Amino acid sequence: MRRVCAFAFLAVLPFVLGCPGDKQGSGAAPRVSAGGATFVDPIMQKWSGEYKKAKNAEIDYVAKGSGYGISNVTSKNIDFGCSDAPMTAKEVEAAKAAGGEVLHVPVTIGAVAVIFNVDGVSDLTLTGEVLADIYLRKITKWNDPKLAALNPGVPLPAADIAPVCRSESSGTTNIFTEYLSKKSAEFAKSPGTDKKPKWPEGVQGKPGNDGIAEQVKQVPNTIGYVEAAYAKTSGKPSAKLVNRGGKPVAPSAAAVTAAVEASVKVTEKKEPYSLHPLAFSFTDADGDASYPVVGASYAILFKKQPKDKGAVIAEFLKWVVADGQMFATDLEYAPLPADLTKKAHDLIGTLSFE
Amino acid sequence: MTAPAPRPAPPSSLGDRLFALLAQASGAFVLSVAVALVGVLLYQSWPALVRYGELKVLTSSDWNPSENAYGALLFVYGTVATSIIAMLVAVPLGVGAAAFLSEIAPPRVRKITSFLLELLAAIPSVIFGFWALEFLARRGLAPTYKLFGFDNTSGEGILAAGLVLAVMILPYITALSFDVCQAVPRAQREGSLALGATRWQTIWKVVLPYARPGIIAACFLALGRAAGETMAVTMVIGNAQYLNFNPTATGDSIPSLIAGQLHETGPADTTRRAVLVSLGLLLLVIALVMNVLARGFVRWLSKPRAHKARPLNLTAAPPPPPDAARTARAIRRAARADKVMTGALWVCQFLTVVPLFLILGYITAKGADQVTAAFFTNLPNDTPPGLHHALVGSVTLVGLAAAFAIPVGLLAAILLSEYRNNRLVAPVRFVSEMLGNVPSIVVGVFAYAVLVYPFWLSPGERGFGYSAWAGAFALGVMMLPVVIRSAEEAMRLVPNSLREASYALGATRRQTILKVVLPAALPAIVTGVLLAVGRIAGETAPLILTARGSQFVARSFADATPSLPYYVYDFATKPSEELKNLAWAGAFVLVVVVLCLNVGVRLLAGKRVVAAARAD
């Protein structure tokens, strides 16, 4: 009996001691709760770490997909969200009802790499049409004649292709399906461009860019689409995609920058890009050096911000679009063009605090 | 004439009344939680429920919320198919193992096996999921599929999810079936053996038929549990949203859908939210129906049954004496069958404990080396990364939940055990038993709808958000029925003579409860509470929707609070070796903590009973 009591006491003790209580004194670093896209997660965590060192503010970014970012900003569960797909008209309307106007601040630009896991193959060239057929499950074998024609001399096996998609609402999926929809009329009809479209049978889902990267890394004969930083951590090769100029291009910071330079000139008239001043579609860009599947990630926040946290967020975002861009290339992202940095800076300046 | 000695004043009845009131209030609170749970779910799903036919929720499998298609048939199919596969595997094995343990096993084997089964039942579901993904699917099923030419390279899918569910419900079925086998009267067995039946014949013809209603009840309870399981299923089912009746194909299930999508439904997504909550309600209904059916069967079992004897026909000629040679053959055949079936039961018993060693072995092999000092002290963004914040967060969440559930549960148990004439007793007992069978994801939906993003807020208002409050509330609701049940059982074991002695000495009821009953029941209560803590410490599904995760140590209960099981789930699918190793280390630490709680409690309490099922 006494032994049991002593044991119980010892077991409960850590709970009592471990309770954090309300220790948030005036000296503690301010903490911003953020979340959303996994596309920006690698660089966002880097920013979070660097910013804590530089300005003593904690950016608590939890990656759960762009759809999560958009809906949780709208319901004010988080202070700002990130999404690689700009809000649609319907989402903007819901946000207006909840807290007024929302701003889209581009924070980084990156390539969506197509990674694959095929024994003995490290170099693969694909076209948008073939990639669309793979995700439509019309091409189901690695040694399909269409693949073989694009890759002469590559020892493609007779194995089944196992395409992997995202299981949650994802901006990376939006970029990828936008590209495939531009390339294949059939794909545009169904599944179409969406954060979470209805994939055909045989496409397996995984949560997050990391989920796809890990699946492709571990399971043979898979193919998946991830932000280039994840392609690097997975250690699996990325396919070269044939761009508008007919050149096969690998996803690299230079190829992304080329695509950005070609696209920024074009003012996008289509929704959802037309709804936001600094939203661009970078997919299937002109130019021989451009990688065709490129997207930006946006920090999404209400224009009206609370006084205390709003100022911290504005400071952080200003730092991100300027100083923060120097970490981009190392992590396989492309830095924002100087012009866009300035525009983003001005956009952040329009935030109002109350 | 001397004045009579002044009588001692009777103890104040105010304290007593207050105490009784407190116990009743706790009981009423438990009732209101249950009512609120059902009410909130109903209210939230109402917009969808009234349009169920129009939305084709249960008739179509076209799930595409961005195109306003809400056909959830494929999720229902995934839930049903995985549960059926689990039952097909687990029922024969579990019942066989129970029969073996009850009828054949030497006491030592029985003791060890039941202990191992309790450990298997205590392993958190996220650990099952992680193991199933890495071992069962990728190293077990994937090569098998390849061998037979199925188009499934990852090994994930309906079959993988069904198998891991089978492993999870096995200890449950075995423990419950063992209990009913033990309840078969000795005379039945002795009668059978005296008539010359072999041991197998006794088991097959006497013990199992007698125990049948109880075994069926156990199966219903296990089925309810399998249908509501979230983590293990979502990690291996493939998250593919189309209907394919081939068991090797990938699919998705209802709990997996809710855990993945509920928190991404914003204010604009009212229909999707209502449909998701209505599917949660469906899970709740399934669990409750299974529970009620199980109770029905148990009641049927407890009724005395008398079969009408076959009328004897004395005028008929006596049957010819059996042919000696034929009898000898029949006896030989029976002996052979006995040997074979005894062997088969051995195998059943063996197969039920093998997964425990596979899981513990695999987790230890992968995770033990990864537990470094950095694991305990660093944050995920440090180099080397660690899970310090998740450890602190888990302790916070469990501590907060316990601080809420233990007092309330204890008082409610006092109501049930010591105020038996109270009108609240029957409904509170019913409700707390039902609460214990509510799938954890449904509790998560409840906490999400009440605290994280309250449904009564108009757009633009803020709820509690992802916070320790919401997470601990969900865990507390899950812990409550366990505390009530174990505390009530413990107090009922206190002999009545103790209470009578206390009353005879003039103590009030409050004094009797506080000074006599509780101290006597304390060791058993502490055991029950610690088992409950072990159970919620590994709970993941409700935390995904409530406490979420965070990159930092939570500073207040209002912050998003990371927890160890959540990060095991999150990091289990990281491409980076460093983070994945953290997941292994986290899984290892979680298993060690939970198993230590279980083993430690049992060693201290000094009793190792087959009660894996009762510990829930």
Side-chain angles (χ1 to χ4, degrees):
Chain A
M1 164 82 194
R2 194 175 290 163
R3 262 164 53 195
V4 173
C5 286
F7 183 75
F9 178 72
L10 285 178
V12 173
L13 197 65
F15 299 136
V16 181
L17 297 180
C19 288
D22 221 337
K23 286 176 201 154
Q24 192 158 11
S26 51
R31 184 178 292 177
V32 172
S33 143
T38 55
F39 185 96
V40 292
D41 192 47
I43 195 166
M44 188 57 91
Q45 299 306 345
K46 178 78 183 164
W47 286 333
S48 172
E50 295 294 330
Y51 196 70
K52 172 132 203 248
K53 272 186 246 158
K55 303 279 166 80
N56 194 32
E58 291 175 345
I59 309 298
D60 187 9
Y61 189 83
V62 177
K64 300 213 68 141
S66 295
Y68 174 92
I70 290 177
S71 64
N72 281 276
V73 162
T74 312
S75 54
K76 297 194 173 174
N77 281 337
I78 52 178
D79 299 320
F80 78 89
C82 281
S83 168
D84 336 315
M87 279 175 144
T88 60
K90 195 180 155 205
E91 286 160 349
V92 169
E93 205 175 300
K96 274 222 171 89
E101 204 179 323
V102 279
L103 299 184
H104 283 52
V105 181
V107 289
T108 193
I109 300 173
V112 176
V114 175
I115 53 173
F116 57 94
N117 181 344
V118 183
D119 249 358
V121 180
S122 57
D123 215 8
L124 191 71
T125 305
L126 295 170
T127 61
E129 294 82 357
V130 167
L131 195 55
D133 280 353
I134 289 176
Y135 270 87
L136 285 167
R137 301 288 284 153
K138 284 167 73 188
I139 295 179
T140 57
K141 294 276 183 195
W142 278 107
N143 61 351
D144 190 277
K146 281 186 184 166
L147 277 170
L150 281 169
N151 298 282
V154 177
L156 291 166
D160 291 313
I161 304 179
V164 190
C165 70
R166 290 281 288 277
S167 66
E168 87 281 33
S169 175
S170 144
T172 312
T173 303
N174 196 65
I175 298 167
F176 186 63
T177 53
E178 184 183 282
Y179 168 65
L180 295 186
S181 295
K182 281 183 180 172
K183 285 295 169 189
S184 152
E186 193 184 344
F187 193 94
K189 228 165 94 198
S190 168
T193 309
D194 196 44
K195 291 197 283 285
K196 178 148 178 35
K198 186 177 160 63
W199 294 100
E201 184 168 336
V203 182
Q204 198 193 328
K206 280 283 157 186
N209 265 301
D210 32 14
I212 295 189
E214 200 261 355
Q215 183 80 355
V216 173
K217 181 182 177 184
Q218 302 281 349
V219 180
N221 299 323
T222 44
I223 185 166
Y225 55 93
V226 292
E227 205 288 322
Y230 292 92
K232 193 179 175 191
T233 28
S234 79
K236 285 292 158 193
S238 309
K240 288 196 183 94
L241 293 181
V242 177
N243 65 10
R244 272 185 106 113
K247 300 274 188 306
V249 181
S252 66
V256 172
T257 308
V260 171
E261 275 166 6
S263 311
V264 173
K265 292 173 208 150
V266 188
T267 322
E268 193 68 46
K269 290 191 189 69
K270 268 203 306 207
E271 274 188 30
Y273 300 101
S274 60
L275 299 170
H276 314 285
L278 294 185
F280 301 92
S281 167
F282 297 121
T283 50
D284 202 21
D286 284 323
D288 282 0
S290 304
Y291 183 73
V293 202
V294 173
S297 201
Y298 308 91
I300 297 181
L301 67 166
F302 282 114
K303 197 168 177 181
K304 269 191 252 165
Q305 286 289 327
K307 220 175 223 152
D308 46 345
K309 263 190 190 162
V312 181
I313 298 170
E315 278 302 303
F316 171 67
L317 289 180
K318 278 179 184 167
W319 179 86
V320 160
V321 296
D323 297 353
Q325 297 301 314
M326 67 183 169
F327 304 107
T329 325
D330 277 352
L331 289 164
E332 309 290 309
Y333 293 87
L336 295 176
D339 173 45
L340 199 54
T341 293
K342 196 185 162 304
K343 280 185 188 161
H345 198 274
D346 293 345
L347 187 67
I348 300 164
T350 63
L351 284 173
S352 64
F353 308 115
E354 53 191 41
Chain B
M1 206 169 145
T2 52
R7 275 187 171 186
S12 149
S13 63
L14 182 68
D16 247 56
R17 262 184 280 156
L18 274 179
F19 188 72
L21 216 60
L22 209 60
Q24 286 183 43
S26 295
F29 179 78
V30 175
L31 275 183
S32 59
V33 164
V35 171
L37 189 139
V38 177
V40 165
L41 256 59
L42 253 180
Y43 180 82
Q44 282 265 282
S45 53
W46 196 249
L49 286 177
V50 292
R51 295 169 57 205
Y52 243 45
E54 180 197 335
L55 293 171
K56 295 193 187 145
V57 175
L58 294 180
T59 48
S60 142
S61 59
D62 180 19
W63 177 263
N64 193 0
S66 37
E67 300 289 328
N68 288 320
Y70 296 99
L73 190 62
L74 69 108
F75 304 106
V76 177
Y77 166 74
T79 301
V80 170
T82 50
S83 305
I84 288 178
I85 293 174
M87 296 301 281
L88 285 180
V89 176
V91 169
L93 277 182
V95 173
F100 174 82
L101 286 178
S102 160
E103 308 300 318
I104 300 174
R108 257 182 90 84
V109 173
R110 181 188 298 177
K111 220 170 173 180
I112 294 172
T113 308
S114 47
F115 177 64
L116 293 178
L117 283 176
E118 277 177 44
L119 292 191
L120 187 59
I123 292 179
S125 64
V126 67
I127 305 287
F128 278 106
F130 198 9
W131 170 79
L133 175 68
E134 289 285 329
F135 187 82
L136 186 67
R138 286 180 182 164
R139 277 165 193 75
L141 287 174
T144 318
Y145 288 159
K146 197 176 172 193
L147 201 66
F148 291 102
F150 290 117
D151 175 12
N152 182 339
T153 47
S154 65
E156 293 168 43
I158 303 273
L159 184 62
L163 289 180
V164 69
L165 276 181
V167 174
M168 294 178 72
I169 59 174
L170 248 181
Y172 201 62
I173 293 182
T174 310
L176 285 174
S177 304
F178 173 80
D179 283 353
V180 276
C181 286
Q182 288 283 287
V184 175
R186 241 185 117 74
Q188 296 271 341
R189 289 189 193 90
E190 282 165 358
S192 164
L193 292 172
L195 286 172
T198 62
R199 215 149 42 158
W200 165 246
Q201 283 170 328
T202 307
I203 292 173
W204 188 244
K205 295 269 167 78
V206 177
V207 176
L208 288 183
Y210 195 98
R212 194 184 298 136
I215 291 174
I216 294 175
C219 293
F220 277 123
L221 287 177
L223 188 58
R225 174 157 294 209
E229 172 53 39
T230 313
M231 298 317 299
V233 172
T234 195
M235 290 173 86
V236 294
I237 198 167
N239 308 112
Q241 287 155 7
Y242 49 80
L243 195 61
N244 185 338
F245 293 110
N246 186 341
T248 64
T250 48
D252 213 346
S253 76
I254 297 175
S256 159
L257 170 78
I258 297 174
Q261 299 203 357
L262 185 64
H263 51 15
E264 63 180 42
T265 59
D269 250 353
T270 41
T271 316
R272 176 151 68 130
R273 185 168 161 151
V275 170
L276 290 177
V277 177
S278 76
L279 291 173
L281 194 66
L282 181 67
L283 283 183
L284 180 69
V285 169
I286 293 177
L288 295 191
V289 166
M290 291 303 155
N291 194 286
V292 169
L293 281 178
R295 287 158 148 253
F297 273 101
V298 170
R299 203 161 299 145
W300 180 35
L301 170 77
S302 52
K303 261 189 206 149
R305 282 165 304 162
H307 289 293
K308 213 166 150 196
R310 226 176 279 158
L312 277 177
N313 190 352
L314 292 172
T315 51
D323 173 16
R326 257 181 65 191
T327 316
R329 265 206 309 278
I331 289 176
R332 270 204 305 279
R333 212 167 39 232
R336 224 174 18 243
D338 185 48
K339 240 181 221 154
V340 169
M341 291 320 291
T342 307
L345 292 184
W346 260 106
V347 171
C348 279
Q349 194 278 136
F350 180 70
L351 286 181
T352 49
V353 291
V354 161
L356 175 73
F357 293 106
L358 284 180
I359 294 172
L360 292 187
Y362 201 68
I363 298 280
T364 310
K366 288 278 193 175
D369 300 353
Q370 310 298 340
V371 182
T372 54
F375 174 83
F376 294 99
T377 54
N378 286 8
L379 295 179
N381 279 341
D382 297 341
T383 34
L387 284 177
H388 170 71
H389 67 323
L391 292 166
V392 176
S394 261
V395 169
T396 311
L397 286 170
V398 172
L400 199 57
F404 151 73
I406 292 174
V408 175
L410 207 53
L411 281 168
I414 287 174
L415 177 79
L416 294 187
S417 143
E418 305 299 318
Y419 293 87
R420 284 181 217 179
N421 298 329
N422 197 292
R423 253 180 304 170
L424 281 175
V425 167
V428 169
R429 179 167 298 130
F430 176 76
V431 151
S432 68
E433 259 175 55
M434 288 295 165
L435 264 187
N437 288 289
V438 174
S440 61
I441 187 74
V442 175
V443 176
V445 172
F446 175 51
Y448 180 82
V450 172
L451 290 175
V452 177
Y453 183 52
F455 58 88
W456 59 81
L457 291 186
S458 47
E461 287 181 298
R462 250 188 141 126
F464 273 86
Y466 301 102
S467 58
W469 292 121
F473 176 72
L475 293 184
V477 169
M478 299 197 62
M479 197 178 170
L480 209 48
V482 192
V483 173
I484 294 177
R485 187 168 178 175
S486 56
E488 191 202 347
E489 266 174 26
M491 282 189 269
R492 289 201 158 198
L493 288 178
V494 176
N496 246 339
S497 51
L498 279 181
R499 291 190 187 86
E500 284 157 8
S502 167
Y503 286 131
L505 289 172
T508 64
R509 193 183 269 194
R510 172 179 57 106
Q511 285 169 326
T512 309
I513 293 169
L514 291 180
K515 298 258 164 83
V516 178
V517 178
L518 273 187
L522 196 61
I525 293 178
V526 170
T527 310
V529 164
L530 289 181
L531 287 180
V533 165
R535 177 156 285 234
I536 62 162
E539 199 49 69
T540 320
L543 293 182
I544 291 180
L545 297 176
T546 53
R548 206 191 51 177
S550 166
Q551 301 292 337
F552 301 101
V553 177
R555 286 191 292 213
S556 77
F557 293 142
D559 280 350
T561 306
S563 61
L564 196 52
Y566 176 91
Y567 272 89
V568 171
Y569 167 65
D570 197 32
F571 285 179
T573 55
K574 288 280 182 195
S576 130
E577 285 296 329
E578 244 182 349
L579 295 183
K580 185 143 184 175
N581 285 339
L582 273 190
W584 286 117
F588 179 72
V589 169
L590 191 59
V591 165
V592 166
V593 168
V594 169
L595 293 194
C596 279
L597 263 176
N598 265 269
V599 176
V601 162
R602 262 166 251 277
L603 289 183
L604 281 172
K607 51 175 184 176
R608 264 176 269 159
V609 279
V610 175
R614 284 194 229 116
D616 70 318

